Amino acid sequence: MYVYGLLLLGLVVSAQCFCFIDKVYTDVSKYGSVSKYCMYKGLKMQVGSHIKTTDCIECTCNDTALNCCGFGIKAGTFGPPTGCMVVADGCKVLLVKADDDTKDCLSGDSLIKP
């Protein structure tokens, strides 16, 4: 299985990473307590926290920035080999035959589970 994964990675001609950085917010209570946090899509994250979302984004909040990167299908732009195309199964990236998206690009085996 490990070798299969390496071969599959070898077939991907190119991949460009998708990441972004955002600022850290600071709140000061009426008593003078300072708290820092990050925001991702309305979610307040404590400094030091880490999340993976269902939309295939992984974020880490530290005291200087919110760092988020796509993973799986949101990792970036993939350039599949000739005769193949990239499809998503949740966040998972699949390389399938361009003329039959039910077959694995490398082995030609069916990807449909009975």
Side-chain angles (χ1 to χ4, degrees), residues 4 8-9 11-12 73 78-89 92-113:
Y4 177 73
L8 187 61
L9 286 175
L11 285 177
V12 178
I73 196 66
F78 294 92
T82 304
C84 299
M85 65 182 187
V86 175
V87 296
D89 182 18
K92 185 178 174 184
V93 175
L94 297 176
L95 284 175
V96 298
K97 295 206 175 273
D99 59 354
D100 184 352
D101 68 356
T102 66
K103 294 190 178 175
D104 179 79
C105 181
L106 181 62
S107 67
D109 295 340
S110 176
L111 295 171
I112 306 301
K113 303 292 180 198

Side-chain angles (χ1 to χ4, degrees), residues 20-34:
F20 61 91
I21 297 173
D22 200 0
K23 66 182 180 177
V24 175
Y25 296 87
T26 304
D27 280 344
V28 179
S29 76
K30 69 179 184 178
Y31 304 107
S33 295
V34 177

Side-chain angles (χ1 to χ4, degrees), residues 33-113:
S33 295
V34 177
S35 64
K36 290 184 173 184
Y37 63 93
C38 302
M39 290 287 291
Y40 177 73
K41 291 191 173 184
L43 175 66
K44 265 186 171 180
M45 298 174 56
Q46 286 186 328
V47 169
S49 62
H50 174 95
I51 62 167
K52 273 183 144 177
T53 67
T54 57
D55 59 344
C56 310
I57 304 292
E58 185 170 19
C59 297
T60 301
C61 177
N62 61 46
D63 59 352
T64 59
L66 171 68
N67 299 293
C68 297
C69 290
F71 66 92
I73 196 66
K74 293 267 183 97
T77 305
F78 294 92
T82 304
C84 299
M85 65 182 187
V86 175
V87 296
D89 182 18
C91 291
K92 185 178 174 184
V93 175
L94 297 176
L95 284 175
V96 298
K97 295 206 175 273
D99 59 354
D100 184 352
D101 68 356
T102 66
K103 294 190 178 175
D104 179 79
C105 181
L106 181 62
S107 67
D109 295 340
S110 176
L111 295 171
I112 306 301
K113 303 292 180 198

